[in-house]
Amino acid sequence: STTDALQRLEGLGLTAADDRHRLPALMAMARIYEDLGINTEAARIYDQVASLSNEPEVVAQSALALLRAGETERALGIERAINR
């Protein structure tokens, strides 16, 4: 079930030894929440993703997801961090 998948991904995201392994689990979890229309939870996870990644495409995707969730200030904070 979707709930089981989310629980497994959350476990992977929390127990992964380093960000390189944690990032894919968090990204997958955030996309599932987005697909389910649970944008506030997706935004919370994308916020974590943005803080863990230094890949511009991943960070930009996180900022866009935050904007879709109505988290304008958090998205702008990411944008400011990118432009530093």
Side-chain angles (χ1 to χ4, degrees):
S1 78
T2 304
T3 305
D4 291 337
L6 286 168
Q7 287 175 340
R8 286 190 195 120
L9 285 169
E10 187 169 353
L12 285 171
L14 294 174
T15 61
D18 59 38
D19 296 343
R20 207 170 27 128
H21 293 100
R22 188 172 6 161
L23 217 54
L26 290 172
M27 292 289 292
M29 199 166 37
R31 281 192 298 271
I32 291 170
Y33 279 121
E34 261 190 316
D35 290 346
L36 293 172
I38 307 172
N39 293 329
T40 55
E41 194 62 21
R44 182 185 69 78
I45 296 167
Y46 274 122
D47 207 18
Q48 290 177 43
V49 167
S51 70
L52 294 173
S53 180
N54 42 352
E55 293 181 39
E57 185 177 318
V58 171
V59 175
Q61 182 179 356
S62 298
L64 288 172
L66 288 166
L67 284 173
R68 282 192 297 272
E71 298 289 341
T72 307
E73 286 302 314
R74 285 163 64 189
L76 289 174
I78 291 171
E79 185 271 333
R80 284 187 212 108
I82 291 170
N83 290 322
R84 284 187 192 154

